[in-house]
Amino acid sequence: MKKKYSIKEILNKNIYFLNKEIFVEGWIKSFHHSIFIILNDGSTVKNLQVVLPKNFDKNIVKKITVGSSVKITGIVKKSIGSKQFVELKLSNIFFYTSVPSDILQKSILQPKKHSLEKIRENAHLRFQTKIFSCVMRIRNYISFSVHKFFQKKNFFYLHTPIITTSDCEGSGKMFRITTLNIIKENDYKTLSNDFFKKKTYLSVSGQLEAESAIIGLGKVYTFGPVFRAENSNTTRHLSEFWMIEPEIAFSSLKESIDLAEKLLKFIINYVLKYCIEDLLFLDENTKKCNKGKKKFIVERLKHIYKTPFHKISYTESINILKKEIEKKNIKFSYPIFWGVDLQSEHEQYITNIYFNNTPVIIFDYPSSIKAFYMRVNDYNEKTVSSMDILFPEIGEIVGGSQREERYEFLLKKIKKLNIDENTLWWYLDTRRFGSVPHSGFGLGFDRLVQFITGMNNIRDVIPFPRTPGNAEF
């Protein structure tokens, strides 16, 4: 029985396969001169050229159309052409599906260039496009590298609930879950008829649950979907996205900063090692490669990996922006003063211009603009022990802090912000039973994929994007 191989195996070990009879399965990408089938099976960005024998059955030739799924048996031969080292001399072809030409002409699979917007409208078919398949393969390797990194460092992978009663970030912009036809706010009789008999939402973070797990496990990380009901229709926001959230017992903010930088560099190095073909293809075929460099994406990743991240306090970042405004007469849409939450334009200026496209870690933000669980600094009660990591062009990619381990301080902050103590009773309870200094952060997985692949729109780095007004497929 002939053995099945992937196209990636055949092309990577081309000498080994010479003159061997094998079979491959995949989708026809193009058909040239009625003799050359270009085949791909999703295992690699590269295609396998299949050569039809002379006087091949014309009835079968008519069925060979782009998008058709086939099983091809043949002998691997050294290619006469210069574009590939080996090719497959066809001896038999079996069609799983033959796509009629009239249907093909109405789809994004027809062999012509389509805009990413058009491809996005057909998300159920875009896995068959080269750009999107490249992005998805890279996304897979990034996912695997995350687990590899944490497992090597003896973290435990924790599954936290998607359905929650608490808003970790305090934003209030969450998706409500209910089995009732009509939701009446503050109607407790109505709530008693609801499925969970209380208000429940889709989670925006697994952090609070992860914090309870470290009091016993020491080091944990979560990696799963989270949801935000913000009406942000931008190229950097999704309503459903993925987060990586490690938590470390007996640690300070510094340890989380060091861990986050090491994680990001580990992922980037891993992708450079295992996804170079896909990265190079994206380098040649995405709009972000118009900066005078043939390998912009690859060179940028190498730069990030080799260069230490800049570290500045929030106060220093405000002073930098003020000096730049005065010195260069820069106009920002949003004002700059101590206590303001940095906007995207401020973050981009710091990373892209001031620090010349290098990641920047900003720490010790004002407590007034940060979440309730962040630890108040001993040296200045107006600030909290927090940090954000900003990446060029993307902006904030990591947000973290040392958590408030002191019961009295945490309770005081919860009361000050009018957060319901009854909802967070269990979280407060963790400060009574074995609480320790601890810290952690959240890494926006999709934004990281966007940065690594060089895609302009975050909707193009997730299989089926969920955004305001859009929940197709």
Side-chain angles (χ1 to χ4, degrees):
M1 184 177 178
K2 302 173 193 70
K3 188 175 179 181
K4 174 187 172 182
Y5 293 96
S6 71
I7 289 176
K8 184 175 183 178
E9 287 177 299
I10 296 167
L11 297 180
N12 284 356
K13 300 178 181 179
N14 43 47
I15 296 176
Y16 171 81
F17 287 102
L18 278 176
N19 301 316
K20 289 188 176 182
E21 188 176 34
I22 62 169
F23 80 85
V24 293
E25 294 168 315
W27 297 269
I28 296 172
K29 293 300 177 182
S30 60
F31 186 40
H32 302 307
H33 311 299
S34 298
I35 188 171
F36 299 112
I37 294 174
I38 306 302
L39 193 72
N40 193 282
D41 64 355
S43 62
T44 173
V45 69
K46 293 181 178 179
N47 299 317
L48 177 65
Q49 179 169 282
V50 181
V51 183
L52 271 60
K54 291 181 180 179
N55 304 316
F56 196 62
D57 190 328
K58 291 182 180 179
N59 291 322
I60 295 179
V61 171
K62 289 179 182 178
K63 294 176 67 178
I64 300 174
T65 56
V66 173
S68 296
S69 53
V70 295
K71 173 183 176 180
I72 294 177
T73 304
I75 298 174
V76 178
K77 292 289 184 181
K78 190 172 181 179
S79 179
I80 299 173
S82 59
K83 292 184 178 180
Q84 59 278 322
F85 181 76
V86 295
E87 58 192 16
L88 188 65
K89 299 290 184 180
L90 182 145
S91 56
N92 187 48
I93 182 170
F94 172 79
F95 289 86
Y96 292 106
T97 304
S98 179
V99 180
S101 297
D102 57 335
I103 295 177
L104 175 66
Q105 295 305 314
K106 299 175 183 178
S107 77
I108 60 169
L109 300 182
Q110 57 181 306
K112 61 178 267 189
K113 193 168 185 178
H114 300 281
S115 68
L116 289 172
E117 288 77 12
K118 179 67 175 177
I119 294 172
R120 201 179 304 131
E121 291 171 2
N122 294 269
H124 60 303
L125 297 177
R126 64 178 177 167
F127 295 94
Q128 296 183 56
T129 65
K130 268 196 168 184
I131 283 182
F132 197 70
S133 62
C134 280
V135 172
M136 287 299 104
R137 279 189 293 270
I138 292 170
R139 185 182 175 103
N140 164 74
Y141 278 97
I142 296 172
S143 299
F144 184 76
S145 71
V146 169
H147 290 293
K148 193 167 186 178
F149 175 85
F150 285 116
Q151 292 298 321
K152 276 187 171 182
K153 292 187 175 295
N154 299 314
F155 278 71
F156 296 101
Y157 180 34
L158 187 71
H159 294 156
T160 53
I162 289 174
I163 299 173
T164 183
T165 58
S166 60
D167 176 7
C168 176
E169 299 300 321
S171 66
K173 297 174 182 177
M174 303 173 73
F175 289 103
R176 175 81 184 270
I177 296 176
T178 181
T179 54
L180 301 175
N181 292 326
I182 300 174
I183 303 172
K184 294 181 179 179
E185 295 295 332
N186 300 319
D187 187 341
Y188 295 102
K189 290 182 180 179
T190 302
L191 286 173
S192 67
N193 294 324
D194 208 348
F195 189 87
F196 291 107
K197 301 189 183 303
K198 61 179 65 177
K199 291 181 183 178
T200 51
Y201 309 87
L202 291 178
S203 177
V204 298
S205 170
Q207 176 200 314
L208 302 188
E209 290 84 359
E211 281 189 65
S212 69
I214 60 170
I215 308 174
L217 292 176
K219 297 190 293 187
V220 303
Y221 72 103
T222 73
F223 186 5
V226 292
F227 308 84
R228 282 213 176 111
E230 294 177 357
N231 191 21
S232 298
N233 230 328
T234 76
T235 58
R236 299 187 305 116
H237 289 88
L238 293 165
S239 300
E240 177 185 347
F241 54 101
W242 285 66
M243 287 286 287
I244 303 158
E245 297 179 291
E247 289 291 327
I248 321 159
F250 306 102
S251 70
S252 65
L253 178 66
K254 182 183 183 303
E255 288 167 278
S256 277
I257 288 175
D258 292 342
L259 184 73
E261 184 171 353
K262 287 175 182 176
L263 170 62
L264 289 164
K265 291 193 171 186
F266 180 89
I267 293 169
I268 287 170
N269 188 48
Y270 194 87
V271 170
L272 284 169
K273 184 176 180 180
Y274 292 102
C275 304
I276 192 65
E277 288 181 353
D278 288 318
L279 289 172
L280 289 174
F281 178 84
L282 292 174
D283 244 335
E284 295 171 4
N285 291 276
T286 56
K287 292 178 181 178
K288 281 197 174 182
C289 304
N290 58 359
K291 306 199 176 202
K293 293 182 181 180
K294 291 183 179 178
K295 298 179 181 178
F296 169 65
I297 295 173
V298 173
E299 294 304 321
R300 182 177 65 170
L301 292 176
K302 287 180 179 178
H303 169 70
I304 299 292
Y305 175 69
K306 293 176 183 178
T307 308
F309 294 2
H310 293 282
K311 297 179 179 68
I312 59 173
S313 70
Y314 169 85
T315 301
E316 288 174 308
S317 72
I318 293 296
N319 291 336
I320 286 171
L321 291 168
K322 283 183 176 180
K323 288 178 182 177
E324 290 293 290
I325 290 171
E326 185 178 341
K327 182 180 176 182
K328 299 179 180 178
N329 196 28
I330 296 165
K331 303 292 184 184
F332 288 120
S333 298
Y334 294 89
I336 288 294
F337 55 90
W338 200 96
V340 70
D341 199 358
L342 294 177
Q343 300 297 314
S344 178
E345 60 177 345
H346 307 141
E347 296 173 344
Q348 291 302 296
Y349 187 88
I350 289 171
T351 54
N352 299 357
I353 309 300
Y354 192 82
F355 285 110
N356 193 25
N357 293 310
T358 301
V360 178
I361 300 172
I362 300 179
F363 59 89
D364 287 359
Y365 282 82
S367 59
S368 59
I369 61 173
K370 287 298 182 180
F372 74 93
Y373 52 75
M374 296 186 179
R375 193 184 197 277
V376 176
N377 280 317
D378 294 326
Y379 78 93
N380 181 358
E381 291 189 1
K382 290 184 178 180
T383 64
V384 287
S385 187
S386 60
M387 65 91 170
D388 286 341
I389 299 181
L390 314 179
F391 261 36
E393 298 181 23
I394 295 294
E396 182 189 336
I397 202 166
V398 172
S401 69
Q402 183 170 337
R403 318 309 192 187
E404 183 57 80
E405 84 280 9
R406 299 165 295 185
Y407 175 82
E408 295 79 11
F409 280 76
L410 184 61
L411 180 61
K412 182 180 177 182
K413 190 68 177 286
I414 286 174
K415 287 182 175 179
K416 182 179 179 181
L417 296 175
N418 293 318
I419 297 172
D420 186 6
E421 293 176 49
N422 296 322
T423 301
L424 287 177
W425 68 269
W426 61 273
Y427 186 70
L428 283 163
D429 222 22
T430 61
R431 272 53 179 178
R432 295 190 183 100
F433 297 93
S435 182
V436 297
H438 60 285
S439 65
F441 59 85
L443 166 57
F445 180 73
D446 305 283
R447 284 192 183 179
L448 179 60
V449 178
Q450 186 183 1
F451 177 81
I452 287 174
T453 58
M455 301 301 288
N456 287 309
N457 197 316
I458 199 167
R459 295 169 177 84
D460 296 322
V461 302
I462 191 168
F464 299 102
R466 298 292 183 253
T467 54
N470 176 55
E472 292 295 326
F473 314 106

Tab-separated table of all heavy atoms in Angstrom, residues 6-7 19 45 59 66 69 73 145 167 190-191 216 266 352 366 373 399 417 429 431 433 456 468 470 472:
chain	number	residue	atom	x	y	z
A	6	SER	N	2.532	14.435	3.437
A	6	SER	CA	2.109	15.827	3.270
A	6	SER	C	3.040	16.502	2.274
A	6	SER	O	4.176	16.061	2.063
A	6	SER	CB	2.159	16.569	4.609
A	6	SER	OG	3.498	16.782	5.018
A	7	ILE	N	2.557	17.564	1.678
A	7	ILE	CA	3.381	18.310	0.717
A	7	ILE	C	4.598	18.900	1.417
A	7	ILE	O	5.690	18.966	0.834
A	7	ILE	CB	2.527	19.393	0.027
A	7	ILE	CG1	1.530	18.720	-0.928
A	7	ILE	CG2	3.404	20.398	-0.728
A	7	ILE	CD1	0.561	19.656	-1.598
A	19	ASN	N	11.977	9.449	-7.224
A	19	ASN	CA	11.668	8.168	-7.895
A	19	ASN	C	10.790	7.235	-7.054
A	19	ASN	O	10.644	6.061	-7.389
A	19	ASN	CB	12.960	7.442	-8.302
A	19	ASN	CG	13.800	8.275	-9.247
A	19	ASN	OD1	13.265	8.878	-10.183
A	19	ASN	ND2	15.102	8.338	-9.004
A	45	VAL	N	3.143	26.787	2.943
A	45	VAL	CA	2.773	27.826	1.992
A	45	VAL	C	3.195	27.450	0.572
A	45	VAL	O	2.664	27.956	-0.416
A	45	VAL	CB	3.399	29.183	2.406
A	45	VAL	CG1	4.926	29.162	2.236
A	45	VAL	CG2	2.788	30.333	1.620
A	59	ASN	N	-11.804	13.975	-20.622
A	59	ASN	CA	-12.970	14.088	-19.734
A	59	ASN	C	-12.538	14.369	-18.295
A	59	ASN	O	-13.210	15.093	-17.558
A	59	ASN	CB	-13.800	12.808	-19.795
A	59	ASN	CG	-14.496	12.645	-21.136
A	59	ASN	OD1	-14.960	13.619	-21.720
A	59	ASN	ND2	-14.560	11.408	-21.625
A	66	VAL	N	-9.928	24.876	-10.170
A	66	VAL	CA	-9.409	25.464	-8.927
A	66	VAL	C	-10.402	25.226	-7.784
A	66	VAL	O	-11.609	25.393	-7.950
A	66	VAL	CB	-9.160	26.976	-9.103
A	66	VAL	CG1	-8.777	27.616	-7.770
A	66	VAL	CG2	-8.067	27.224	-10.136
A	69	SER	N	-11.046	19.223	-4.636
A	69	SER	CA	-10.270	18.410	-3.698
A	69	SER	C	-9.987	17.050	-4.340
A	69	SER	O	-10.887	16.418	-4.889
A	69	SER	CB	-11.030	18.233	-2.387
A	69	SER	OG	-12.338	17.743	-2.630
A	73	THR	N	-2.021	10.054	-7.094
A	73	THR	CA	-0.944	9.081	-6.984
A	73	THR	C	0.057	9.348	-8.109
A	73	THR	O	-0.343	9.657	-9.244
A	73	THR	CB	-1.484	7.651	-7.111
A	73	THR	OG1	-2.500	7.437	-6.134
A	73	THR	CG2	-0.365	6.625	-6.902
A	145	SER	N	3.921	27.577	21.387
A	145	SER	CA	5.089	28.126	22.084
A	145	SER	C	4.729	28.686	23.446
A	145	SER	O	5.537	28.647	24.379
A	145	SER	CB	5.766	29.211	21.230
A	145	SER	OG	4.979	30.386	21.150
A	167	ASP	N	-17.017	41.545	37.271
A	167	ASP	CA	-16.297	42.264	36.233
A	167	ASP	C	-14.898	42.545	36.746
A	167	ASP	O	-14.688	43.444	37.552
A	167	ASP	CB	-17.025	43.570	35.896
A	167	ASP	CG	-16.277	44.412	34.877
A	167	ASP	OD1	-15.276	43.916	34.339
A	167	ASP	OD2	-16.693	45.549	34.636
A	190	THR	N	-37.519	38.421	39.122
A	190	THR	CA	-37.187	37.978	37.768
A	190	THR	C	-35.898	37.162	37.785
A	190	THR	O	-35.809	36.102	37.172
A	190	THR	CB	-37.026	39.187	36.825
A	190	THR	OG1	-38.231	39.937	36.821
A	190	THR	CG2	-36.708	38.727	35.407
A	191	LEU	N	-34.904	37.643	38.534
A	191	LEU	CA	-33.634	36.940	38.608
A	191	LEU	C	-33.798	35.542	39.204
A	191	LEU	O	-33.079	34.613	38.845
A	191	LEU	CB	-32.628	37.746	39.435
A	191	LEU	CG	-32.045	38.988	38.766
A	191	LEU	CD1	-31.196	39.771	39.757
A	191	LEU	CD2	-31.211	38.609	37.556
A	216	GLY	N	-1.745	27.738	46.690
A	216	GLY	CA	-1.809	26.294	46.719
A	216	GLY	C	-1.007	25.678	45.589
A	216	GLY	O	-0.363	24.653	45.758
A	266	PHE	N	10.650	34.716	23.695
A	266	PHE	CA	10.622	33.278	23.435
A	266	PHE	C	9.687	32.975	22.261
A	266	PHE	O	10.030	32.212	21.346
A	266	PHE	CB	10.153	32.528	24.681
A	266	PHE	CG	10.088	31.033	24.498
A	266	PHE	CD1	11.193	30.246	24.753
A	266	PHE	CD2	8.903	30.422	24.072
A	266	PHE	CE1	11.134	28.859	24.583
A	266	PHE	CE2	8.831	29.044	23.900
A	266	PHE	CZ	9.960	28.260	24.156
A	352	ASN	N	7.063	54.180	18.509
A	352	ASN	CA	7.472	54.310	17.105
A	352	ASN	C	8.529	55.390	16.884
A	352	ASN	O	9.479	55.176	16.125
A	352	ASN	CB	6.264	54.633	16.218
A	352	ASN	CG	5.212	53.550	16.247
A	352	ASN	OD1	5.384	52.525	16.882
A	352	ASN	ND2	4.109	53.791	15.575
A	366	PRO	N	-1.024	56.011	37.696
A	366	PRO	CA	-1.899	56.574	38.734
A	366	PRO	C	-2.981	55.562	39.118
A	366	PRO	O	-3.560	54.901	38.250
A	366	PRO	CB	-2.520	57.804	38.060
A	366	PRO	CG	-1.564	58.159	36.961
A	366	PRO	CD	-0.991	56.867	36.487
A	373	TYR	N	-7.808	45.919	41.921
A	373	TYR	CA	-6.981	44.863	42.528
A	373	TYR	C	-5.482	45.177	42.514
A	373	TYR	O	-4.682	44.401	43.024
A	373	TYR	CB	-7.213	43.529	41.798
A	373	TYR	CG	-7.047	43.624	40.298
A	373	TYR	CD1	-5.788	43.723	39.710
A	373	TYR	CD2	-8.162	43.630	39.465
A	373	TYR	CE1	-5.636	43.825	38.348
A	373	TYR	CE2	-8.023	43.736	38.096
A	373	TYR	CZ	-6.758	43.829	37.538
A	373	TYR	OH	-6.620	43.935	36.187
A	399	GLY	N	-0.739	44.017	29.877
A	399	GLY	CA	-1.064	44.839	31.037
A	399	GLY	C	-0.954	43.994	32.285
A	399	GLY	O	-1.474	42.869	32.314
A	417	LEU	N	-14.802	52.326	45.178
A	417	LEU	CA	-15.270	52.255	43.796
A	417	LEU	C	-16.706	51.741	43.678
A	417	LEU	O	-17.190	51.505	42.569
A	417	LEU	CB	-14.326	51.368	42.972
A	417	LEU	CG	-12.889	51.886	42.818
A	417	LEU	CD1	-12.031	50.869	42.094
A	417	LEU	CD2	-12.870	53.224	42.075
A	429	ASP	N	-11.993	36.735	50.453
A	429	ASP	CA	-11.682	35.616	51.339
A	429	ASP	C	-10.264	35.077	51.119
A	429	ASP	O	-9.616	34.614	52.067
A	429	ASP	CB	-12.692	34.486	51.104
A	429	ASP	CG	-13.147	33.862	52.414
A	429	ASP	OD1	-13.040	34.527	53.462
A	429	ASP	OD2	-13.603	32.712	52.393
A	431	ARG	N	-7.721	36.689	50.702
A	431	ARG	CA	-6.774	37.528	51.455
A	431	ARG	C	-6.757	37.153	52.945
A	431	ARG	O	-5.897	37.618	53.688
A	431	ARG	CB	-7.135	38.997	51.303
A	431	ARG	CG	-6.503	39.677	50.091
A	431	ARG	CD	-6.750	38.974	48.785
A	431	ARG	NE	-6.135	39.689	47.665
A	431	ARG	CZ	-6.158	39.288	46.415
A	431	ARG	NH1	-6.751	38.163	46.096
A	431	ARG	NH2	-5.569	39.994	45.462
A	433	PHE	N	-6.981	33.745	53.867
A	433	PHE	CA	-6.452	32.385	53.964
A	433	PHE	C	-5.206	32.219	53.088
A	433	PHE	O	-5.294	31.877	51.909
A	433	PHE	CB	-7.517	31.368	53.551
A	433	PHE	CG	-8.725	31.363	54.437
A	433	PHE	CD1	-9.840	32.144	54.135
A	433	PHE	CD2	-8.744	30.595	55.590
A	433	PHE	CE1	-10.955	32.141	54.956
A	433	PHE	CE2	-9.858	30.584	56.419
A	433	PHE	CZ	-10.955	31.361	56.109
A	456	ASN	N	-2.631	44.346	8.986
A	456	ASN	CA	-3.138	45.672	9.364
A	456	ASN	C	-4.368	45.598	10.261
A	456	ASN	O	-4.617	46.493	11.051
A	456	ASN	CB	-3.499	46.471	8.104
A	456	ASN	CG	-2.275	46.948	7.362
A	456	ASN	OD1	-1.388	47.540	7.948
A	456	ASN	ND2	-2.219	46.668	6.070
A	468	PRO	N	-18.482	44.496	16.846
A	468	PRO	CA	-19.788	45.138	16.920
A	468	PRO	C	-20.532	45.044	15.583
A	468	PRO	O	-20.006	45.444	14.540
A	468	PRO	CB	-19.464	46.596	17.260
A	468	PRO	CG	-18.184	46.497	18.028
A	468	PRO	CD	-17.413	45.377	17.376
A	470	ASN	N	-21.233	42.342	13.952
A	470	ASN	CA	-20.796	41.234	13.110
A	470	ASN	C	-20.586	39.961	13.926
A	470	ASN	O	-19.702	39.899	14.794
A	470	ASN	CB	-19.497	41.590	12.384
A	470	ASN	CG	-18.954	40.417	11.570
A	470	ASN	OD1	-19.668	39.870	10.729
A	470	ASN	ND2	-17.743	40.015	11.844
A	472	GLU	N	-21.014	36.725	12.020
A	472	GLU	CA	-21.283	35.758	10.951
A	472	GLU	C	-20.518	34.461	11.184
A	472	GLU	O	-19.550	34.420	11.941
A	472	GLU	CB	-20.878	36.358	9.598
A	472	GLU	CG	-21.757	37.530	9.147
A	472	GLU	CD	-23.195	37.124	8.870
A	472	GLU	OE1	-23.412	35.999	8.393
A	472	GLU	OE2	-24.107	37.917	9.164
